[in-house]
Amino acid sequence: NAGVTQTPKFQVLKTGQSMTLQCAQDMNHNSMYWYRQDPGMGLRLIYYSASEGTTDKGEVPNGYNVSRLNKREFSLRLESAAPSQTSVYFCASRRRDAGTYTEAFFGQGTRLTVV
Amino acid sequence: AQSVTQLDSHVSVSEGTPVLLRCNYSSSYSPSLFWYVQHPNKGLQLLLKYTSAATLVKGINGFEAEFKKSETSFHLTKPSAHMSDAAEYFCVVESGTYKYIFGTGTRLKVLA
Protein backbone atom coordinates (compact mmCIF):
# COMPACT_ATOMS: atom_id res chain seq x y z
CA ASN A 1 0.00 0.00 0.00
CA ALA A 2 1.36 3.40 -0.96
CA GLY A 3 -0.77 5.26 1.63
CA VAL A 4 -0.25 9.02 1.32
CA THR A 5 2.20 10.13 -1.36
CA GLN A 6 3.62 13.64 -1.59
CA THR A 7 5.60 15.16 -4.41
CA PRO A 8 8.14 16.61 -4.56
CA LYS A 9 10.19 15.59 -1.53
CA PHE A 10 12.49 18.60 -1.72
CA GLN A 11 12.17 21.99 -3.39
CA VAL A 12 14.07 25.25 -3.41
CA LEU A 13 12.22 28.35 -4.63
CA LYS A 14 13.19 31.94 -5.11
CA THR A 15 11.10 34.61 -3.42
CA GLY A 16 8.09 35.39 -5.57
CA GLN A 17 8.03 32.11 -7.45
CA SER A 18 4.99 29.88 -7.39
CA MET A 19 4.65 26.15 -7.03
CA THR A 20 2.16 23.40 -6.25
CA LEU A 21 2.68 20.60 -3.77
CA GLN A 22 0.89 17.42 -4.74
CA CYS A 23 -0.71 14.87 -2.44
CA ALA A 24 -2.52 11.67 -3.28
CA GLN A 25 -3.95 8.92 -1.08
CA ASP A 26 -5.06 5.45 -2.10
CA MET A 27 -7.01 4.53 1.05
CA ASN A 28 -10.40 5.87 -0.09
CA HIS A 29 -10.35 8.46 2.70
CA ASN A 30 -12.89 11.27 2.82
CA SER A 31 -10.83 13.95 4.51
CA MET A 32 -7.46 15.39 3.60
CA TYR A 33 -5.24 17.95 5.31
CA TRP A 34 -2.17 20.10 4.75
CA TYR A 35 0.12 20.95 7.67
CA ARG A 36 3.36 22.79 8.02
CA GLN A 37 5.99 21.85 10.57
CA ASP A 38 8.37 24.41 11.99
CA PRO A 39 10.94 23.85 14.76
CA GLY A 40 9.43 24.07 18.23
CA MET A 41 5.90 24.62 16.92
CA GLY A 42 4.58 21.16 16.19
CA LEU A 43 2.36 20.83 13.13
CA ARG A 44 -0.04 23.59 12.23
CA LEU A 45 -3.04 23.14 9.97
CA ILE A 46 -2.98 25.20 6.78
CA TYR A 47 -6.11 23.96 4.96
CA TYR A 48 -8.30 20.92 5.05
CA SER A 49 -10.93 19.22 2.96
CA ALA A 50 -13.56 17.38 4.98
CA SER A 51 -14.93 15.70 1.88
CA GLU A 52 -14.60 15.88 -1.88
CA GLY A 53 -15.79 19.25 -3.11
CA THR A 54 -15.17 21.17 0.12
CA THR A 55 -12.17 23.04 1.48
CA ASP A 56 -11.72 25.16 4.59
CA LYS A 57 -9.05 27.30 6.18
CA GLY A 58 -7.04 26.03 9.08
CA GLU A 59 -4.84 27.86 11.53
CA VAL A 60 -2.30 29.38 9.10
CA PRO A 61 -3.88 29.75 5.62
CA ASN A 62 -2.37 33.06 4.51
CA GLY A 63 -0.25 32.78 1.38
CA TYR A 64 -1.68 29.40 0.36
CA ASN A 65 -4.48 28.00 -1.76
CA VAL A 66 -5.73 24.45 -2.12
CA SER A 67 -7.63 22.32 -4.58
CA ARG A 68 -9.41 19.07 -3.85
CA LEU A 69 -9.10 17.70 -7.34
CA ASN A 70 -10.99 14.47 -6.62
CA LYS A 71 -11.35 12.09 -3.71
CA ARG A 72 -7.72 10.96 -3.99
CA GLU A 73 -5.86 14.23 -4.58
CA PHE A 74 -5.42 17.42 -2.59
CA SER A 75 -2.91 20.01 -3.77
CA LEU A 76 -1.40 23.02 -2.01
CA ARG A 77 -0.34 26.07 -4.00
CA LEU A 78 2.01 28.87 -3.08
CA GLU A 79 1.25 31.73 -5.45
CA SER A 80 4.17 33.98 -4.48
CA ALA A 81 6.61 32.23 -2.18
CA ALA A 82 8.13 34.08 0.77
CA PRO A 83 11.04 33.10 3.03
CA SER A 84 8.54 32.72 5.89
CA GLN A 85 7.08 29.77 4.00
CA THR A 86 10.30 27.80 4.37
CA SER A 87 9.07 24.73 6.20
CA VAL A 88 8.34 21.04 5.99
CA TYR A 89 4.88 20.37 4.60
CA PHE A 90 2.85 17.29 5.42
CA CYS A 91 -0.27 15.99 3.80
CA ALA A 92 -2.59 13.70 5.76
CA SER A 93 -5.83 11.83 5.20
CA ARG A 94 -8.56 10.23 7.34
CA ARG A 95 -11.67 8.17 6.80
CA ARG A 96 -15.04 8.85 8.38
CA ASP A 97 -16.84 5.78 9.72
CA ALA A 98 -20.36 6.09 11.11
CA GLY A 99 -19.84 9.65 12.29
CA THR A 100 -16.38 9.19 13.74
CA TYR A 101 -12.99 9.56 12.15
CA THR A 102 -10.12 7.13 11.97
CA GLU A 103 -6.66 8.28 12.87
CA ALA A 104 -4.77 10.37 10.35
CA PHE A 105 -2.20 8.89 8.00
CA PHE A 106 0.66 11.15 6.96
CA GLY A 107 2.84 11.46 3.91
CA GLN A 108 6.61 11.62 4.09
CA GLY A 109 6.72 15.39 3.81
CA THR A 110 8.00 18.02 1.40
CA ARG A 111 10.96 20.08 2.55
CA LEU A 112 10.60 23.55 1.01
CA THR A 113 13.21 26.28 1.16
CA VAL A 114 12.47 29.78 -0.09
CA VAL A 115 15.54 31.94 -0.70
CA ALA B 1 -11.17 25.50 22.78
CA GLN B 2 -8.93 22.48 22.63
CA SER B 3 -5.23 22.59 23.34
CA VAL B 4 -2.39 20.27 24.21
CA THR B 5 0.81 20.92 26.16
CA GLN B 6 3.85 18.72 26.03
CA LEU B 7 5.68 19.52 29.22
CA ASP B 8 9.21 18.69 28.05
CA SER B 9 10.78 19.75 24.78
CA HIS B 10 13.72 17.37 25.28
CA VAL B 11 14.07 14.15 27.28
CA SER B 12 17.25 12.07 27.64
CA VAL B 13 17.30 8.53 29.00
CA SER B 14 19.82 5.74 29.08
CA GLU B 15 19.18 2.63 27.04
CA GLY B 16 17.25 0.09 29.08
CA THR B 17 15.71 2.66 31.46
CA PRO B 18 12.06 3.77 31.51
CA VAL B 19 10.69 6.48 29.27
CA LEU B 20 8.10 9.07 30.36
CA LEU B 21 6.88 11.75 27.95
CA ARG B 22 4.29 14.06 29.47
CA CYS B 23 1.21 15.50 27.82
CA ASN B 24 -1.64 17.57 29.27
CA TYR B 25 -4.71 18.51 27.29
CA SER B 26 -7.60 20.91 27.49
CA SER B 27 -10.91 20.07 25.91
CA SER B 28 -14.54 21.06 26.24
CA TYR B 29 -15.66 17.68 24.98
CA SER B 30 -14.69 14.10 25.60
CA PRO B 31 -11.50 14.03 23.57
CA SER B 32 -9.74 11.57 21.35
CA LEU B 33 -6.02 11.57 22.05
CA PHE B 34 -3.11 10.27 20.01
CA TRP B 35 0.63 9.88 20.20
CA TYR B 36 2.63 10.04 16.98
CA VAL B 37 6.35 9.43 16.47
CA GLN B 38 8.55 11.08 13.87
CA HIS B 39 11.97 9.68 13.12
CA PRO B 40 14.50 12.04 11.51
CA ASN B 41 13.47 13.16 8.03
CA LYS B 42 10.43 10.87 8.08
CA GLY B 43 6.70 11.27 8.23
CA LEU B 44 4.57 10.74 11.32
CA GLN B 45 3.59 7.28 12.48
CA LEU B 46 0.77 6.53 14.90
CA LEU B 47 1.96 4.98 18.17
CA LEU B 48 -1.38 4.69 19.93
CA LYS B 49 -4.78 6.30 20.33
CA TYR B 50 -7.43 6.80 23.02
CA THR B 51 -11.04 7.07 21.91
CA SER B 52 -13.09 6.68 25.13
CA ALA B 53 -12.64 2.95 25.56
CA ALA B 54 -10.04 1.57 28.02
CA THR B 55 -8.09 4.29 29.80
CA LEU B 56 -4.81 2.37 29.52
CA VAL B 57 -3.90 2.19 25.87
CA LYS B 58 -1.21 -0.06 24.46
CA GLY B 59 0.57 0.88 21.27
CA ILE B 60 3.31 -0.32 19.03
CA ASN B 61 6.93 -0.95 20.03
CA GLY B 62 6.10 -1.44 23.72
CA PHE B 63 4.68 2.04 24.31
CA GLU B 64 1.56 2.71 26.34
CA ALA B 65 -0.34 5.70 27.63
CA GLU B 66 -2.91 6.26 30.35
CA PHE B 67 -5.82 8.65 30.00
CA LYS B 68 -6.46 10.43 33.32
CA LYS B 69 -9.49 12.67 33.09
CA SER B 70 -9.06 14.11 36.59
CA GLU B 71 -5.54 15.25 35.72
CA THR B 72 -6.28 16.01 32.04
CA SER B 73 -3.17 14.04 31.18
CA PHE B 74 -2.18 11.45 28.61
CA HIS B 75 1.45 10.58 29.39
CA LEU B 76 3.40 8.18 27.18
CA THR B 77 5.55 5.50 28.81
CA LYS B 78 7.80 2.60 27.92
CA PRO B 79 9.44 0.31 30.47
CA SER B 80 12.80 0.03 28.72
CA ALA B 81 14.19 2.43 26.14
CA HIS B 82 15.90 1.21 23.00
CA MET B 83 18.28 3.15 20.80
CA SER B 84 15.72 2.99 17.99
CA ASP B 85 13.25 4.96 20.13
CA ALA B 86 15.25 8.15 19.58
CA ALA B 87 12.83 10.40 17.72
CA GLU B 88 10.39 13.26 18.16
CA TYR B 89 7.04 12.47 19.75
CA PHE B 90 3.83 14.43 19.32
CA CYS B 91 0.76 14.37 21.51
CA VAL B 92 -2.43 15.22 19.61
CA VAL B 93 -5.95 16.06 20.78
CA GLU B 94 -9.11 15.96 18.74
CA SER B 95 -12.53 16.72 20.09
CA GLY B 96 -15.79 17.79 18.55
CA THR B 97 -14.27 18.40 15.14
CA TYR B 98 -12.24 16.48 12.65
CA LYS B 99 -9.12 18.56 13.15
CA TYR B 100 -6.04 17.60 15.09
CA ILE B 101 -4.38 19.95 17.56
CA PHE B 102 -0.69 19.12 17.90
CA GLY B 103 1.61 19.62 20.84
CA THR B 104 4.97 21.21 20.17
CA GLY B 105 6.78 17.88 20.38
CA THR B 106 9.24 16.14 22.69
CA ARG B 107 12.57 15.07 21.32
CA LEU B 108 13.71 11.82 22.94
CA LYS B 109 17.40 11.08 23.12
CA VAL B 110 18.56 7.60 24.11
CA LEU B 111 22.07 7.30 25.50
CA ALA B 112 24.13 4.14 25.08
Side-chain angles (χ1 to χ4, degrees), chain A residues 16-80:
Chain A
Q17 286 186 317
S18 62
M19 79 160 295
T20 300
L21 281 64
Q22 307 286 354
C23 175
Q25 52 89 11
D26 62 0
M27 296 173 283
N28 200 35
H29 286 175
N30 318 82
S31 301
M32 298 185 73
Y33 307 80
W34 276 106
Y35 292 89
R36 61 177 288 172
Q37 182 181 25
D38 301 293
M41 302 187 76
L43 276 73
R44 294 179 292 167
L45 182 64
I46 305 171
Y47 270 93
Y48 66 99
S49 171
S51 60
E52 187 179 357
T54 69
T55 60
D56 285 286
K57 295 179 180 179
E59 185 183 353
V60 289
N62 290 345
Y64 305 96
N65 285 299
V66 291
S67 295
R68 184 73 182 266
L69 303 169
N70 48 55
K71 192 172 186 179
R72 290 186 63 248
E73 299 173 287
F74 187 41
S75 63
L76 178 72
R77 182 160 179 84
L78 286 70
E79 291 290 352
S80 179

Side-chain angles (χ1 to χ4, degrees), chain B residues 20-92:
Chain B
L20 170 64
L21 305 183
R22 299 182 294 164
C23 173
N24 287 351
Y25 71 91
S26 171
S27 174
S28 305
Y29 305 92
S30 179
S32 294
L33 293 156
F34 308 81
W35 277 98
Y36 280 83
V37 62
Q38 184 182 30
H39 288 94
N41 300 313
K42 300 290 186 184
L44 282 79
Q45 179 185 18
L46 180 69
L47 274 180
L48 50 80
K49 62 181 178 181
Y50 166 78
T51 55
S52 75
T55 56
L56 182 62
V57 182
K58 294 188 184 299
I60 62 172
N61 300 334
F63 285 94
E64 62 182 37
E66 186 171 8
F67 174 70
K68 292 187 177 180
K69 187 175 181 179
S70 61
E71 299 176 11
T72 62
S73 69
F74 190 57
H75 300 335
L76 182 70
T77 60
K78 183 174 180 178
S80 177
H82 191 273
M83 296 298 289
S84 61
D85 295 329
E88 189 158 22
Y89 293 78
F90 292 96
C91 182
V92 179

